[in-house]
Amino acid sequence: MRCFWKYAYFSDVADHSDDVFREILRSSRKNNQRSGVSGILVRDKNTYFQYLEGDKEALADCVLRISGDSRHNNMTVIFSAQTAALFFDGWSLAEAKLPQRKQNLSAFKRLLLGLPMEDRIAMVDEVCLEAKLLL
Ligand SMILES: Cc1cc2nc3c(=O)[nH]c(=O)nc-3n(C[C@H](O)[C@H](O)[C@H](O)COP(=O)(O)O)c2cc1C
């Protein structure tokens, strides 16, 4: 069975302009498509939540690029874990909305950080599946 990796984090928005957000989506989609990475990016006023998945090496390269980007700060990793299934295969980076009860991203972040790793992964899986239905 083929094995992939998945990665989720929150970060603080450093530049609130819509043009910056559009440019992040544009370059991310180009790069992710090339390297077979897929996922979602969610933004509220002050916070990003990103979920990414793909081959181990490609995902590690992607995360390295993202972590050096000054358009956000304070990356807080929720998990980095193996997975057998890709939720967003074919979506190089979808601009997603979370279900209503998780739309306050800093509250969602606090909730996840208070959970053991297995539960964090299960909750993000559940939210990603719901977010996919809203795309
Ligand atoms: C919140 C956020 C999410 C990002 N997500 C991705 C991503 O999924 N893939 C990616 O390649 N770059 C992503 N980036 C952009 C990278 O940090 C970097 O600017 C980009 O990969 C550089 O690509 P380029 O050299 O082709 O312009 C993200 C940046 C931010 C601030």
Side-chain angles (χ1 to χ4, degrees):
M1 188 177 60
R2 189 137 174 237
C3 188
F4 301 100
W5 281 73
K6 56 186 178 180
Y7 181 91
Y9 73 88
F10 291 86
S11 62
D12 299 336
V13 176
D15 188 319
H16 294 80
S17 99
D18 284 342
D19 286 351
V20 163
F21 187 58
R22 294 280 131 224
E23 174 52 26
I24 289 170
L25 285 174
R26 193 198 59 78
S27 62
S28 302
R29 284 171 178 159
K30 176 180 58 100
N31 294 336
N32 293 357
Q33 196 161 25
R34 197 180 48 223
S35 57
V37 169
S38 47
I40 55 173
L41 181 61
V42 184
R43 178 181 71 153
D44 73 10
K45 199 164 170 292
N46 297 307
T47 308
Y48 287 117
F49 170 69
Q50 191 169 24
Y51 168 87
L52 292 165
E53 57 191 18
D55 284 330
K56 188 176 184 183
E57 302 277 305
L59 191 56
D61 286 350
C62 184
V63 168
L64 200 62
R65 282 198 301 275
I66 294 170
S67 51
D69 196 317
S70 61
R71 293 171 293 186
H72 64 166
N73 301 307
N74 190 26
M75 267 177 87
T76 305
V77 180
I78 298 301
F79 60 73
S80 174
Q82 280 192 323
T83 182
L86 296 176
F87 286 142
F88 295 102
D89 201 10
W91 296 93
S92 53
L93 190 64
E95 180 188 354
K97 280 219 177 323
L98 297 189
Q100 193 82 40
R101 65 185 192 287
K102 298 288 186 323
Q103 277 178 7
N104 179 334
L105 292 182
S106 53
F108 184 34
K109 174 179 160 182
R110 277 196 305 278
L111 174 69
L112 286 169
L113 288 175
L115 297 176
M117 192 52 70
E118 253 177 53
D119 295 349
R120 288 182 191 189
I121 293 172
M123 183 170 284
V124 170
D125 281 357
E126 184 190 313
V127 163
C128 280
L129 283 174
E130 287 186 62
K132 192 175 174 180
L133 295 176
L134 298 172
L135 284 176

